[in-house]
Structures are given as structure tokens and as C-alpha cells.
């Protein structure tokens, strides 16, 4: 009877915790839909940001976020994958260099994003004398890199050693075993890590304030200041103008559902 009661209490507590999590998610989505869906229009998606009452949109912020996040992912994903492969396949058995790399990755994962922004500001903005979209992409890549590294390492460590031994027994080179056996087996977890990194980059504001700064006009030049949705949300959310506040809610909705769409796409594609 005591064990049954404990099992019942634990089950109820687990269900309650899961229900709270779902309730929080549903409430966030409902708030975004009710406040942001009103502002979705052709003008919002095609017009650039403008002064209050001008009927401006978020086109330049959307394009800027896509460019900076995409470039950051192109920089962080290959380096993170290779570093994670090294830590998992070559960094075992008391490898001191791998231990240092692993420690640095853990430290970067817990580093505040504003510190990363200040670091890139001193590294790329101050020497060149101006803000740029490229600096923002580098800051986002630094934020995403440790997450991809640690996720890739952890997922590859879950691949059974027998699979590596089977590939070696068939005469396959070690790099073939890693790419065609280990990575293929761990692809769902690796893609999840990249997705989490992309989600973190998509919602970061502080690093972009010190690097890309923002731009009220359409600009696709990565060497100049560039707009982004997080900065637009930051600038408009606390404004006293109703149209700017509405654009902030619409931008938040676009960011949330962009990440949600990527999540669903990756999970569906990983099943095949």
C-alpha cells in the first residue's frame, strides 16, 4: 500500500508538472496570436521600418535577421560539428587538450550574451569604427558554437562502440566510420542541437545592440549597420505609440513561429 501511494503521488506530480509546462506554452502562444496576428498584413511584410504613424513595416528587420542568423549558422555549424566529433572520437582517455576545449565550451554556454556582444564589439566594431551585420553574425555564431559542440559530442557518445568496431572490421577507414555510421546514427540529436542553437540566435537582442545596432532602412550590406527582429521588438515594445507596439507584438509572433516551423521541419525530415 505504501509503494502504491508513493507511485500514485509521483504520477500525479509528474502529470501536474507536464500540465504546467503545457499551460505556460499555450498561454504564450495564445498571447502572441491574440496580440500579434492583428498586425500581420502585406504592408508589414513588405514595408521598411519608419516613424510613428507612417505605416511602416518590418521587412528590413526580417531580411536582416535572416541574413545575420543564416551567416552565423554557416560559421558555427561546421566548426561546432568538427569540434564535437573531435571531442567524442579523439578526445577520450585522458586527452588534456580535449578537456580544456570541453571546459571552455561549457564556460561559453553559461556566458551572458551581453558579454559576448561586448567582446565582439571590442574585436570587430571598435577597430573598424562602425557597426555591421557581419559583427552581429559573428556574435551570434559565438553564442551558438558551444551548444552545437556539446550536443554533437553527447549524441556521438551515445552511439554504441560495437557499431564503430563493426565498421572497422569491414575495412572502413576511421573517418568513414565516423561520417557514415556514427553521424548518421546520431543525426537526430545533432540536428536538435543545431536547432536549439538556431533558436537561441533567433531571439538574442543584447549582442546585436553592440554589433549590428539596427537600421531603419533596407540594407543587405553586411559591412554596414543592419536591422533585425529582436532589435525592432526591443525598440518598439516600450514605445508610447500604438502602431510601434503592434509591430513589436507582430515581430515577436514572427520570431516564435519561425523557430516553431524550423523545429517541425527538422523533426519531420529526421524520420526519413
Amino acid at each position: 500500500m505504501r509503494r502504491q501511494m508513493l507511485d500514485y503521488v509521483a504520477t500525479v506530480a509528474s502529470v501536474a508538472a507536464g500540465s504546467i509546462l503545457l499551460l505556460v506554452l499555450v498561454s504564450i502562444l495564445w498571447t502572441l496570436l491574440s496580440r500579434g496576428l492583428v498586425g500581420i498584413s502585406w504592408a508589414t511584410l513588405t514595408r521598411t521600418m519608419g516613424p510613428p504613424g507612417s505605416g511602416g513595416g518590418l521587412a528590413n528587420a526580417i531580411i536582416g535577421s535572416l541574413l545575420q542568423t543564416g551567416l552565423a549558422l554557416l560559421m558555427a555549424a561546421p566548426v561546432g560539428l568538427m569540434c564535437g566529433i573531435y571531442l567524442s572520437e579523439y578526445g577520450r582517455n585522458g586527452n588534456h587538450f580535449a578537456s580544456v576545449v570541453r571546459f571552455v565550451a561549457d564556460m561559453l554556454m553559461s556566458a551572458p550574451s551581453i558579454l559576448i556582444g561586448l567582446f565582439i564589439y571590442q574585436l570587430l566594431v571598435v577597430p573598424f569604427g562602425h557597426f555591421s551585420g557581419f559583427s552581429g553574425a559573428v556574435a551570434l555564431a559565438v553564442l551558438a558554437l558551444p551548444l552545437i559542440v556539446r550536443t554533437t559530442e553527447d549524441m556521438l557518445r551515445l552511439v554504441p562502440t560495437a557499431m564503430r568496431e563493426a565498421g572497422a572490421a569491414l575495412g572502413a577507414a576511421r573517418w568513414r566510420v565516423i561520417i557514415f555510421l556514427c553521424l548518421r546514427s546520431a543525426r537526430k540529436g545533432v540536428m536538435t542541437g543545431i536547432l536549439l542553437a538556431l533558436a537561441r540566435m533567433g531571439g538574442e537582442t543584447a549582442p546585436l545592440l553592440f554589433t549590428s545596432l539596427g537600421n531603419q532602412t533596407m540594407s543587405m550590406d553586411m559591412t554596414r549597420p543592419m536591422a533585425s527582429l529582436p532589435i525592432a521588438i526591443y525598440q518598439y515594445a516600450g514605445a508610447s505609440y500604438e502602431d510601434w507596439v503592434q509591430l513589436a507584438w507582430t515581430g515577436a509572433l514572427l520570431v516564435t513561429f519561425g523557430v516553431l516551423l524550423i523545429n517541425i521541419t527538422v523533426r519531420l525530415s529526421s524520420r526519413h
Side-chain angles (χ1 to χ4, degrees):
M1 179 64 69
R2 180 175 176 272
R3 291 196 298 268
Q4 291 178 352
M5 289 299 297
L6 289 176
D7 177 73
Y8 178 77
V9 172
T11 302
V12 172
S14 300
V15 173
S19 301
I20 292 173
L21 178 62
L22 290 177
L23 180 62
V24 171
L25 177 61
V26 170
S27 63
I28 291 175
L29 293 178
W30 173 254
T31 303
L32 289 174
L33 285 172
S34 60
R35 300 293 298 271
L37 198 59
V38 181
I40 296 293
S41 64
W42 183 251
T44 303
L45 301 178
T46 56
R47 294 181 182 177
T48 59
M49 301 164 63
S54 63
L58 296 171
N60 56 328
I62 296 173
I63 297 299
S65 290
L66 292 176
L67 290 176
Q68 293 177 79
T69 306
L71 181 58
L73 190 63
L74 288 177
M75 290 188 290
V79 178
L81 286 174
M82 290 187 290
C83 187
I85 291 172
Y86 169 76
L87 293 178
S88 173
E89 305 300 323
Y90 301 95
R92 303 187 184 187
N93 301 325
N95 189 320
H96 297 293
F97 177 72
S99 300
V100 173
V101 174
R102 194 174 292 110
F103 175 77
V104 171
D106 291 337
M107 290 294 295
L108 286 176
M109 285 185 63
S110 59
S113 59
I114 192 170
L115 295 183
I116 303 297
L118 286 172
F119 169 72
I120 301 300
Y121 173 81
Q122 291 293 331
L123 185 66
L124 295 178
V125 176
V126 173
F128 293 97
H130 60 84
F131 300 92
S132 65
F134 178 76
S135 301
V138 173
L140 295 178
V142 173
L143 287 171
L145 183 59
L147 187 57
I148 297 176
V149 171
R150 297 297 284 145
T151 304
T152 302
E153 180 191 4
D154 293 340
M155 292 301 104
L156 287 175
R157 284 182 177 271
L158 295 177
V159 178
T161 305
M163 185 173 293
R164 298 177 174 85
E165 295 174 349
L170 292 174
R174 189 171 187 180
W175 66 271
R176 285 184 177 274
V177 173
I178 294 173
I179 294 176
F180 294 105
L181 290 180
C182 298
L183 271 180
R184 181 171 295 182
S185 300
R187 66 184 182 276
K188 291 184 180 180
V190 173
M191 289 301 298
T192 300
I194 296 176
L195 174 65
L196 292 174
L198 182 61
R200 184 181 183 186
M201 290 188 297
E204 286 293 343
T205 305
L208 300 180
L209 289 173
F210 292 97
T211 52
S212 61
L213 184 63
N215 197 336
Q216 294 292 321
T217 61
M218 179 67 72
S219 175
M220 301 181 66
D221 186 0
M222 298 298 292
T223 63
R224 308 303 303 174
M226 182 173 290
S228 62
L229 279 175
I231 292 181
I233 296 170
Y234 171 78
Q235 293 174 342
Y236 287 172
S240 57
Y241 307 101
E242 293 185 2
D243 55 339
W244 278 16
V245 175
Q246 181 59 60
L247 286 176
W249 282 108
T250 303
L253 180 65
L254 292 175
V255 171
T256 302
F257 276 86
V259 174
L260 182 61
L261 179 61
I262 295 174
N263 194 345
I264 295 174
T265 303
V266 170
R267 292 192 176 276
L268 290 179
S269 61
S270 64
R271 294 181 180 180
H272 303 287

